[in-house]
Amino acid sequence: MGGSFPGDVSISRETSITGVRLVLRESLVGELFFLLQQNPRQRYVQKDGKCNVHHGNVQETYRYLSDLFTTLVDLRWRLSLFIFTLVYVVNWLFFGFLWWLIALIRGDLVHADEEGWTPCVENLNSFVSAFLFSIETETTIGYGYRVITEKCPEGIILLLLQAILGSIVNAMMVGCMFVKISQPKNRAETLMFSHNAVISVRDNKMCLMFRVGDLRNSHIVEASIRAKLIRSQQTKEGEFIPLNQTDINIGFDTGDDRLFLVSPLIISHEINEKSPFWEMSLAQMEKEEFEIVVILEGMVEATGMTCQARSSYLDTEVLWGHRFTPVLSLEKGFYEVDYNNFHDVYETNTPTCSAKELAAKLREGNRQVPHFILNFRV
């Protein structure tokens, strides 16, 4: 009467397994939170734009060989120059060996000094001379001392083969060097981002702002900018996302994200209902850990190649209640930019509440913004 049925045993097993799964999930999430707390200031993107991500345990390395040209371009300069030299030397040695082999099989190395003997290549009497002839053939130097004769069909075929393969090697290696030299990565060095981002009120609305500038007189064509919020989060189902990316609207719907970057510009993100900062106050922001990644893209006017510059702002680099110091002044006949003040900010009256609370107070107070802001001065 008081015994248990087999079904009860299966239910208890499933319950225990489910409990173990929940415990394991909670322990893994706890470990991830612990690791993030141990490195609270770890950047996803460095200030100079380098991504702080390393790819490990890549087993399908053959994918790099399927795109060999890009792999060669992405290599470091010392390795690129080593491969550049190695490819040419191996190519010359390979064809030099074939020229020497033809001379050996035909007997040119033995009968070269005999009168009436017509060698495949005149004055080719050793491997060193074959190697030199290979270099002269592929580089089209043509000193005139060593020359192929018309009574050597195998040599003519080898000459055609070396000319074709040599052209392919030249096209690939010179193309790699040209693309590597003309990469617009260095152009991004003259694109500046402010050291800090700021939050203050603009036209009765809370805004997140940062400043960008271009030091060169040759401008970035069709420049556009976008921003991402990098923050760890846990879903309602318990899934932990370590580096979740959320779009920050900086004018995509209005076209303000397309820039005419002749002088430094202040990029503004309106904190509204769709913003991830909508319910974030000053007190809450001080407890949050996040990173704002900003990406500036455009074409280099001089070369027409696409250039991308990146930077980021940690939560400690977002200053609440500040604005940027003006850098543009009107001189006699022109505008002057003072880059000494590019990173400078100054304090301004700003409420410490969230943008959501500010919008509600503005609706209740008939938009008496100045008095409301003074009451909430930081």
Side-chain angles (χ1 to χ4, degrees), residues 99-157:
W99 287 113
W100 174 82
L101 186 62
I102 290 176
L104 179 64
I105 295 174
R106 285 174 53 89
D108 294 342
L109 301 180
V110 178
H111 305 287
D113 297 333
E114 296 182 4
E115 295 183 2
W117 181 265
T118 304
C120 183
V121 179
E122 294 182 358
N123 300 314
L124 195 153
N125 49 24
S126 64
F127 179 77
V128 175
S129 60
F131 175 67
L132 294 175
F133 179 72
S134 175
I135 297 176
E136 295 172 15
T137 300
E138 190 161 330
T139 57
T140 65
I141 294 177
Y143 289 120
Y145 184 69
R146 299 178 184 88
V147 59
I148 187 172
T149 60
E150 59 185 11
K151 295 183 179 181
C152 184
E154 60 271 24
I156 296 174
I157 294 175

Short mmCIF file of all heavy atoms in Angstrom, two decimals, residues 99-157:
data_model
loop_
_atom_site.label_atom_id
_atom_site.label_comp_id
_atom_site.label_asym_id
_atom_site.label_seq_id
_atom_site.Cartn_x
_atom_site.Cartn_y
_atom_site.Cartn_z
N TRP A 99 67.14 23.59 -65.49
CA TRP A 99 68.09 23.91 -66.56
C TRP A 99 69.36 23.07 -66.42
O TRP A 99 69.92 22.58 -67.42
CB TRP A 99 68.44 25.40 -66.54
CG TRP A 99 67.36 26.31 -67.03
CD1 TRP A 99 66.64 27.21 -66.32
CD2 TRP A 99 66.87 26.39 -68.38
NE1 TRP A 99 65.74 27.87 -67.11
CE2 TRP A 99 65.86 27.38 -68.39
CE3 TRP A 99 67.19 25.73 -69.57
CZ2 TRP A 99 65.17 27.73 -69.54
CZ3 TRP A 99 66.48 26.06 -70.72
CH2 TRP A 99 65.49 27.05 -70.69
N TRP A 100 69.83 22.91 -65.21
CA TRP A 100 71.02 22.08 -64.98
C TRP A 100 70.74 20.62 -65.32
O TRP A 100 71.60 19.93 -65.88
CB TRP A 100 71.44 22.23 -63.52
CG TRP A 100 72.57 21.32 -63.12
CD1 TRP A 100 73.89 21.54 -63.32
CD2 TRP A 100 72.46 20.04 -62.47
NE1 TRP A 100 74.64 20.50 -62.83
CE2 TRP A 100 73.78 19.56 -62.30
CE3 TRP A 100 71.39 19.27 -62.01
CZ2 TRP A 100 74.04 18.33 -61.69
CZ3 TRP A 100 71.65 18.06 -61.40
CH2 TRP A 100 72.96 17.58 -61.26
N LEU A 101 69.51 20.13 -65.01
CA LEU A 101 69.14 18.75 -65.31
C LEU A 101 69.10 18.51 -66.82
O LEU A 101 69.55 17.45 -67.31
CB LEU A 101 67.80 18.42 -64.66
CG LEU A 101 67.33 16.97 -64.75
CD1 LEU A 101 68.32 16.07 -64.02
CD2 LEU A 101 65.93 16.82 -64.17
N ILE A 102 68.58 19.45 -67.58
CA ILE A 102 68.56 19.33 -69.04
C ILE A 102 69.98 19.27 -69.58
O ILE A 102 70.31 18.44 -70.46
CB ILE A 102 67.78 20.50 -69.66
CG1 ILE A 102 66.28 20.37 -69.35
CG2 ILE A 102 67.98 20.55 -71.18
CD1 ILE A 102 65.45 21.53 -69.86
N ALA A 103 70.82 20.14 -69.06
CA ALA A 103 72.22 20.14 -69.52
C ALA A 103 72.91 18.83 -69.16
O ALA A 103 73.74 18.31 -69.93
CB ALA A 103 72.96 21.33 -68.92
N LEU A 104 72.59 18.27 -68.00
CA LEU A 104 73.21 17.02 -67.58
C LEU A 104 72.74 15.86 -68.46
O LEU A 104 73.56 15.01 -68.89
CB LEU A 104 72.88 16.75 -66.12
CG LEU A 104 73.43 15.45 -65.52
CD1 LEU A 104 74.96 15.49 -65.51
CD2 LEU A 104 72.88 15.23 -64.11
N ILE A 105 71.45 15.80 -68.74
CA ILE A 105 70.91 14.70 -69.55
C ILE A 105 71.42 14.78 -70.98
O ILE A 105 71.76 13.76 -71.61
CB ILE A 105 69.38 14.72 -69.50
CG1 ILE A 105 68.88 14.43 -68.07
CG2 ILE A 105 68.78 13.72 -70.47
CD1 ILE A 105 67.39 14.56 -67.89
N ARG A 106 71.50 15.97 -71.53
CA ARG A 106 71.98 16.13 -72.91
C ARG A 106 73.50 15.94 -73.02
O ARG A 106 74.03 15.80 -74.12
CB ARG A 106 71.62 17.53 -73.43
CG ARG A 106 70.13 17.69 -73.77
CD ARG A 106 69.86 19.15 -74.11
NE ARG A 106 70.78 19.64 -75.15
CZ ARG A 106 70.55 19.56 -76.47
NH1 ARG A 106 69.43 19.00 -76.90
NH2 ARG A 106 71.43 20.04 -77.33
N GLY A 107 74.20 15.98 -71.90
CA GLY A 107 75.65 15.84 -71.93
C GLY A 107 76.38 17.15 -72.15
O GLY A 107 77.57 17.14 -72.48
N ASP A 108 75.69 18.26 -71.97
CA ASP A 108 76.33 19.56 -72.18
C ASP A 108 77.44 19.82 -71.17
O ASP A 108 78.40 20.54 -71.47
CB ASP A 108 75.29 20.68 -72.11
CG ASP A 108 74.29 20.61 -73.24
OD1 ASP A 108 74.58 19.92 -74.25
OD2 ASP A 108 73.20 21.22 -73.13
N LEU A 109 77.29 19.29 -69.96
CA LEU A 109 78.31 19.53 -68.93
C LEU A 109 79.62 18.82 -69.26
O LEU A 109 80.69 19.26 -68.82
CB LEU A 109 77.78 19.05 -67.56
CG LEU A 109 76.49 19.71 -67.07
CD1 LEU A 109 76.09 19.15 -65.71
CD2 LEU A 109 76.65 21.22 -66.99
N VAL A 110 79.55 17.73 -70.06
CA VAL A 110 80.75 16.96 -70.40
C VAL A 110 81.36 17.43 -71.71
O VAL A 110 82.58 17.57 -71.85
CB VAL A 110 80.42 15.45 -70.47
CG1 VAL A 110 81.66 14.65 -70.86
CG2 VAL A 110 79.86 14.97 -69.13
N HIS A 111 80.49 17.71 -72.70
CA HIS A 111 80.97 18.04 -74.05
C HIS A 111 80.93 19.55 -74.34
O HIS A 111 80.96 19.94 -75.51
CB HIS A 111 80.11 17.32 -75.08
CG HIS A 111 80.05 15.84 -74.87
ND1 HIS A 111 81.10 14.99 -75.14
CD2 HIS A 111 79.03 15.06 -74.37
CE1 HIS A 111 80.75 13.74 -74.85
NE2 HIS A 111 79.50 13.76 -74.38
N ALA A 112 80.82 20.36 -73.31
CA ALA A 112 80.66 21.80 -73.54
C ALA A 112 81.86 22.40 -74.25
O ALA A 112 81.72 23.35 -75.06
CB ALA A 112 80.42 22.51 -72.21
N ASP A 113 83.07 21.89 -73.98
CA ASP A 113 84.27 22.47 -74.56
C ASP A 113 84.63 21.87 -75.92
O ASP A 113 85.62 22.30 -76.54
CB ASP A 113 85.45 22.28 -73.59
CG ASP A 113 85.22 23.02 -72.29
OD1 ASP A 113 84.49 24.02 -72.31
OD2 ASP A 113 85.76 22.58 -71.25
N GLU A 114 83.91 20.88 -76.39
CA GLU A 114 84.22 20.25 -77.66
C GLU A 114 83.76 21.11 -78.83
O GLU A 114 82.69 21.74 -78.76
CB GLU A 114 83.54 18.88 -77.74
CG GLU A 114 84.06 17.89 -76.71
CD GLU A 114 83.40 16.54 -76.84
OE1 GLU A 114 82.58 16.37 -77.79
OE2 GLU A 114 83.68 15.65 -76.00
N GLU A 115 84.55 21.14 -79.89
CA GLU A 115 84.18 21.92 -81.07
C GLU A 115 83.06 21.22 -81.83
O GLU A 115 83.03 20.00 -81.95
CB GLU A 115 85.40 22.11 -81.98
CG GLU A 115 86.52 22.92 -81.37
CD GLU A 115 87.65 23.14 -82.34
OE1 GLU A 115 87.52 22.68 -83.51
OE2 GLU A 115 88.65 23.77 -81.96
N GLY A 116 82.12 21.99 -82.32
CA GLY A 116 81.00 21.45 -83.07
C GLY A 116 79.85 20.98 -82.22
O GLY A 116 78.81 20.55 -82.75
N TRP A 117 80.02 21.02 -80.91
CA TRP A 117 78.92 20.62 -80.00
C TRP A 117 77.99 21.81 -79.75
O TRP A 117 78.46 22.89 -79.42
CB TRP A 117 79.49 20.11 -78.68
CG TRP A 117 78.42 19.65 -77.72
CD1 TRP A 117 77.85 20.38 -76.73
CD2 TRP A 117 77.79 18.38 -77.67
NE1 TRP A 117 76.92 19.67 -76.07
CE2 TRP A 117 76.86 18.40 -76.63
CE3 TRP A 117 77.94 17.20 -78.44
CZ2 TRP A 117 76.06 17.30 -76.30
CZ3 TRP A 117 77.14 16.11 -78.11
CH2 TRP A 117 76.22 16.15 -77.07
N THR A 118 76.70 21.58 -79.97
CA THR A 118 75.71 22.65 -79.75
C THR A 118 74.94 22.36 -78.46
O THR A 118 74.10 21.44 -78.42
CB THR A 118 74.72 22.74 -80.92
OG1 THR A 118 75.45 22.93 -82.13
CG2 THR A 118 73.75 23.89 -80.71
N PRO A 119 75.24 23.11 -77.40
CA PRO A 119 74.53 22.85 -76.14
C PRO A 119 73.12 23.44 -76.16
O PRO A 119 72.75 24.18 -77.07
CB PRO A 119 75.41 23.57 -75.11
CG PRO A 119 76.01 24.70 -75.87
CD PRO A 119 76.21 24.20 -77.29
N CYS A 120 72.35 23.07 -75.16
CA CYS A 120 71.00 23.65 -75.02
C CYS A 120 71.11 25.13 -74.64
O CYS A 120 70.39 25.96 -75.18
CB CYS A 120 70.20 22.88 -73.96
SG CYS A 120 68.50 23.47 -73.76
N VAL A 121 71.97 25.41 -73.71
CA VAL A 121 72.22 26.79 -73.29
C VAL A 121 73.72 27.02 -73.35
O VAL A 121 74.49 26.30 -72.70
CB VAL A 121 71.69 27.08 -71.87
CG1 VAL A 121 72.00 28.52 -71.46
CG2 VAL A 121 70.20 26.80 -71.77
N GLU A 122 74.13 27.97 -74.11
CA GLU A 122 75.56 28.25 -74.24
C GLU A 122 76.12 28.80 -72.94
O GLU A 122 75.46 29.57 -72.25
CB GLU A 122 75.80 29.24 -75.38
CG GLU A 122 75.47 28.69 -76.76
CD GLU A 122 75.76 29.68 -77.86
OE1 GLU A 122 76.19 30.82 -77.51
OE2 GLU A 122 75.58 29.34 -79.04
N ASN A 123 77.36 28.37 -72.64
CA ASN A 123 78.09 28.82 -71.46
C ASN A 123 77.42 28.40 -70.15
O ASN A 123 77.58 29.05 -69.12
CB ASN A 123 78.28 30.34 -71.48
CG ASN A 123 79.04 30.81 -72.69
OD1 ASN A 123 80.08 30.23 -73.03
ND2 ASN A 123 78.53 31.82 -73.36
N LEU A 124 76.65 27.32 -70.16
CA LEU A 124 76.06 26.77 -68.94
C LEU A 124 76.81 25.48 -68.63
O LEU A 124 76.61 24.45 -69.28
CB LEU A 124 74.56 26.48 -69.14
CG LEU A 124 73.73 26.23 -67.87
CD1 LEU A 124 72.28 26.63 -68.10
CD2 LEU A 124 73.79 24.77 -67.44
N ASN A 125 77.71 25.54 -67.66
CA ASN A 125 78.60 24.42 -67.38
C ASN A 125 78.59 23.96 -65.93
O ASN A 125 79.39 23.13 -65.53
CB ASN A 125 80.04 24.78 -67.77
CG ASN A 125 80.45 26.13 -67.21
OD1 ASN A 125 79.89 26.60 -66.21
ND2 ASN A 125 81.41 26.77 -67.86
N SER A 126 77.67 24.52 -65.11
CA SER A 126 77.57 24.10 -63.71
C SER A 126 76.19 24.49 -63.16
O SER A 126 75.41 25.18 -63.84
CB SER A 126 78.68 24.74 -62.87
OG SER A 126 78.52 26.15 -62.84
N PHE A 127 75.94 24.03 -61.93
CA PHE A 127 74.66 24.39 -61.32
C PHE A 127 74.59 25.89 -61.02
O PHE A 127 73.52 26.50 -61.11
CB PHE A 127 74.44 23.59 -60.03
CG PHE A 127 73.16 23.93 -59.33
CD1 PHE A 127 71.94 23.44 -59.78
CD2 PHE A 127 73.16 24.75 -58.21
CE1 PHE A 127 70.76 23.77 -59.14
CE2 PHE A 127 71.98 25.08 -57.56
CZ PHE A 127 70.77 24.58 -58.03
N VAL A 128 75.71 26.48 -60.67
CA VAL A 128 75.72 27.93 -60.38
C VAL A 128 75.37 28.72 -61.62
O VAL A 128 74.58 29.67 -61.58
CB VAL A 128 77.09 28.35 -59.82
CG1 VAL A 128 77.14 29.86 -59.63
CG2 VAL A 128 77.37 27.63 -58.51
N SER A 129 75.94 28.34 -62.76
CA SER A 129 75.62 29.04 -64.00
C SER A 129 74.16 28.80 -64.40
O SER A 129 73.51 29.69 -64.96
CB SER A 129 76.56 28.59 -65.12
OG SER A 129 76.43 27.19 -65.34
N ALA A 130 73.63 27.59 -64.09
CA ALA A 130 72.21 27.32 -64.37
C ALA A 130 71.32 28.19 -63.48
O ALA A 130 70.28 28.69 -63.93
CB ALA A 130 71.91 25.84 -64.14
N PHE A 131 71.72 28.36 -62.23
CA PHE A 131 70.97 29.22 -61.31
C PHE A 131 70.98 30.67 -61.78
O PHE A 131 69.95 31.36 -61.76
CB PHE A 131 71.55 29.09 -59.90
CG PHE A 131 70.93 30.01 -58.90
CD1 PHE A 131 69.61 29.86 -58.50
CD2 PHE A 131 71.67 31.05 -58.35
CE1 PHE A 131 69.04 30.71 -57.57
CE2 PHE A 131 71.12 31.90 -57.42
CZ PHE A 131 69.80 31.73 -57.03
N LEU A 132 72.14 31.14 -62.23
CA LEU A 132 72.23 32.51 -62.74
C LEU A 132 71.40 32.69 -64.01
O LEU A 132 70.75 33.72 -64.21
CB LEU A 132 73.70 32.87 -63.01
CG LEU A 132 74.60 32.96 -61.78
CD1 LEU A 132 76.05 33.20 -62.20
CD2 LEU A 132 74.12 34.05 -60.84
N PHE A 133 71.40 31.65 -64.87
CA PHE A 133 70.58 31.73 -66.09
C PHE A 133 69.09 31.75 -65.75
O PHE A 133 68.30 32.42 -66.42
CB PHE A 133 70.90 30.54 -66.99
CG PHE A 133 70.10 30.53 -68.25
CD1 PHE A 133 70.34 31.45 -69.27
CD2 PHE A 133 69.08 29.60 -68.43
CE1 PHE A 133 69.58 31.44 -70.44
CE2 PHE A 133 68.32 29.59 -69.59
CZ PHE A 133 68.57 30.51 -70.61
N SER A 134 68.71 31.04 -64.70
CA SER A 134 67.32 31.06 -64.26
C SER A 134 66.91 32.46 -63.80
O SER A 134 65.82 32.95 -64.12
CB SER A 134 67.11 30.05 -63.14
OG SER A 134 65.80 30.13 -62.62
N ILE A 135 67.79 33.12 -63.06
CA ILE A 135 67.49 34.48 -62.60
C ILE A 135 67.40 35.43 -63.79
O ILE A 135 66.49 36.27 -63.88
CB ILE A 135 68.57 34.95 -61.60
CG1 ILE A 135 68.56 34.07 -60.35
CG2 ILE A 135 68.33 36.41 -61.22
CD1 ILE A 135 69.65 34.42 -59.36
N GLU A 136 68.35 35.33 -64.72
CA GLU A 136 68.36 36.21 -65.89
C GLU A 136 67.11 36.00 -66.74
O GLU A 136 66.54 36.96 -67.28
CB GLU A 136 69.61 35.94 -66.72
CG GLU A 136 70.90 36.28 -66.03
CD GLU A 136 72.11 35.82 -66.81
OE1 GLU A 136 71.95 35.49 -68.00
OE2 GLU A 136 73.21 35.76 -66.23
N THR A 137 66.64 34.76 -66.84
CA THR A 137 65.47 34.47 -67.66
C THR A 137 64.21 35.06 -67.03
O THR A 137 63.39 35.69 -67.71
CB THR A 137 65.30 32.96 -67.84
OG1 THR A 137 66.47 32.44 -68.47
CG2 THR A 137 64.09 32.63 -68.68
N GLU A 138 64.04 34.85 -65.73
CA GLU A 138 62.80 35.27 -65.08
C GLU A 138 62.74 36.77 -64.88
O GLU A 138 61.67 37.38 -64.94
CB GLU A 138 62.65 34.55 -63.74
CG GLU A 138 61.28 34.73 -63.11
CD GLU A 138 61.01 33.67 -62.07
OE1 GLU A 138 61.53 32.54 -62.20
OE2 GLU A 138 60.28 33.98 -61.12
N THR A 139 63.86 37.39 -64.62
CA THR A 139 63.88 38.84 -64.43
C THR A 139 64.12 39.60 -65.72
O THR A 139 64.20 40.83 -65.71
CB THR A 139 64.97 39.22 -63.41
OG1 THR A 139 66.23 38.73 -63.88
CG2 THR A 139 64.66 38.62 -62.05
N THR A 140 64.27 38.88 -66.84
CA THR A 140 64.51 39.46 -68.18
C THR A 140 65.70 40.41 -68.18
O THR A 140 65.66 41.48 -68.79
CB THR A 140 63.26 40.18 -68.70
OG1 THR A 140 62.97 41.31 -67.86
CG2 THR A 140 62.06 39.26 -68.75
N ILE A 141 66.76 40.02 -67.46
CA ILE A 141 67.98 40.86 -67.45
C ILE A 141 68.69 40.74 -68.80
O ILE A 141 69.00 41.74 -69.45
CB ILE A 141 68.90 40.43 -66.30
CG1 ILE A 141 68.23 40.74 -64.96
CG2 ILE A 141 70.25 41.16 -66.39
CD1 ILE A 141 69.02 40.28 -63.76
N GLY A 142 68.99 39.51 -69.21
CA GLY A 142 69.59 39.30 -70.52
C GLY A 142 70.97 39.88 -70.67
O GLY A 142 71.20 40.82 -71.43
N TYR A 143 71.97 39.32 -69.95
CA TYR A 143 73.33 39.82 -70.06
C TYR A 143 73.94 39.49 -71.43
O TYR A 143 74.89 40.13 -71.87
CB TYR A 143 74.20 39.23 -68.95
CG TYR A 143 73.87 39.78 -67.58
CD1 TYR A 143 73.44 38.94 -66.56
CD2 TYR A 143 73.99 41.14 -67.32
CE1 TYR A 143 73.15 39.44 -65.31
CE2 TYR A 143 73.69 41.64 -66.07
CZ TYR A 143 73.27 40.79 -65.06
OH TYR A 143 72.97 41.29 -63.83
N GLY A 144 73.44 38.44 -72.09
CA GLY A 144 73.95 38.09 -73.42
C GLY A 144 75.03 37.04 -73.41
O GLY A 144 75.46 36.59 -74.47
N TYR A 145 75.46 36.63 -72.23
CA TYR A 145 76.53 35.62 -72.16
C TYR A 145 75.96 34.22 -72.25
O TYR A 145 76.52 33.35 -72.93
CB TYR A 145 77.31 35.80 -70.86
CG TYR A 145 78.49 34.88 -70.71
CD1 TYR A 145 79.61 35.03 -71.53
CD2 TYR A 145 78.50 33.87 -69.76
CE1 TYR A 145 80.70 34.18 -71.41
CE2 TYR A 145 79.58 33.02 -69.63
CZ TYR A 145 80.68 33.18 -70.45
OH TYR A 145 81.75 32.34 -70.33
N ARG A 146 74.87 33.97 -71.57
CA ARG A 146 74.20 32.68 -71.64
C ARG A 146 72.91 32.86 -72.43
O ARG A 146 72.09 33.73 -72.11
CB ARG A 146 73.88 32.16 -70.24
CG ARG A 146 75.10 31.95 -69.36
CD ARG A 146 74.71 31.47 -67.97
NE ARG A 146 75.89 31.36 -67.13
CZ ARG A 146 76.39 32.35 -66.41
NH1 ARG A 146 75.80 33.55 -66.44
NH2 ARG A 146 77.46 32.18 -65.69
N VAL A 147 72.72 32.00 -73.43
CA VAL A 147 71.56 32.12 -74.30
C VAL A 147 71.14 30.74 -74.75
O VAL A 147 71.98 29.85 -74.99
CB VAL A 147 71.87 33.02 -75.52
CG1 VAL A 147 73.03 32.47 -76.33
CG2 VAL A 147 70.64 33.19 -76.39
N ILE A 148 69.84 30.53 -74.86
CA ILE A 148 69.32 29.24 -75.30
C ILE A 148 69.45 29.12 -76.82
O ILE A 148 69.30 30.11 -77.55
CB ILE A 148 67.84 29.08 -74.86
CG1 ILE A 148 67.35 27.67 -75.15
CG2 ILE A 148 66.95 30.12 -75.49
CD1 ILE A 148 65.98 27.39 -74.57
N THR A 149 69.76 27.91 -77.27
CA THR A 149 69.93 27.67 -78.71
C THR A 149 68.63 27.12 -79.30
O THR A 149 67.76 26.63 -78.58
CB THR A 149 71.07 26.68 -78.94
OG1 THR A 149 70.78 25.44 -78.29
CG2 THR A 149 72.39 27.24 -78.42
N GLU A 150 68.55 27.18 -80.62
CA GLU A 150 67.33 26.76 -81.30
C GLU A 150 67.22 25.25 -81.45
O GLU A 150 66.16 24.73 -81.82
CB GLU A 150 67.27 27.40 -82.68
CG GLU A 150 68.47 27.04 -83.56
CD GLU A 150 68.46 27.77 -84.88
OE1 GLU A 150 67.64 28.70 -85.03
OE2 GLU A 150 69.26 27.40 -85.76
N LYS A 151 68.28 24.50 -81.16
CA LYS A 151 68.26 23.05 -81.29
C LYS A 151 67.96 22.35 -79.96
O LYS A 151 68.42 21.24 -79.71
CB LYS A 151 69.60 22.56 -81.83
CG LYS A 151 69.90 23.03 -83.24
CD LYS A 151 71.19 22.47 -83.77
CE LYS A 151 71.46 22.94 -85.20
NZ LYS A 151 72.72 22.38 -85.73
N CYS A 152 67.21 23.01 -79.14
CA CYS A 152 66.86 22.45 -77.81
C CYS A 152 65.38 22.64 -77.57
O CYS A 152 64.97 23.61 -76.91
CB CYS A 152 67.70 23.12 -76.72
SG CYS A 152 67.44 22.44 -75.07
N PRO A 153 64.51 21.78 -78.07
CA PRO A 153 63.07 21.95 -77.89
C PRO A 153 62.64 21.86 -76.44
O PRO A 153 61.73 22.57 -76.00
CB PRO A 153 62.47 20.81 -78.72
CG PRO A 153 63.57 19.81 -78.87
CD PRO A 153 64.83 20.59 -78.89
N GLU A 154 63.29 20.96 -75.67
CA GLU A 154 62.92 20.87 -74.25
C GLU A 154 63.26 22.16 -73.51
O GLU A 154 62.57 22.57 -72.58
CB GLU A 154 63.60 19.67 -73.59
CG GLU A 154 65.13 19.70 -73.61
CD GLU A 154 65.70 19.05 -74.85
OE1 GLU A 154 65.01 18.99 -75.90
OE2 GLU A 154 66.86 18.59 -74.79
N GLY A 155 64.36 22.80 -73.92
CA GLY A 155 64.71 24.08 -73.31
C GLY A 155 63.73 25.18 -73.67
O GLY A 155 63.42 26.06 -72.85
N ILE A 156 63.23 25.15 -74.91
CA ILE A 156 62.24 26.16 -75.33
C ILE A 156 60.95 25.99 -74.52
O ILE A 156 60.34 26.97 -74.08
CB ILE A 156 61.98 26.04 -76.84
CG1 ILE A 156 63.25 26.36 -77.62
CG2 ILE A 156 60.84 26.95 -77.26
CD1 ILE A 156 63.12 26.14 -79.11
N ILE A 157 60.53 24.75 -74.32
CA ILE A 157 59.32 24.50 -73.52
C ILE A 157 59.53 24.97 -72.08
O ILE A 157 58.65 25.59 -71.48
CB ILE A 157 58.98 23.00 -73.56
CG1 ILE A 157 58.58 22.59 -74.99
CG2 ILE A 157 57.84 22.69 -72.59
CD1 ILE A 157 58.34 21.11 -75.15
#
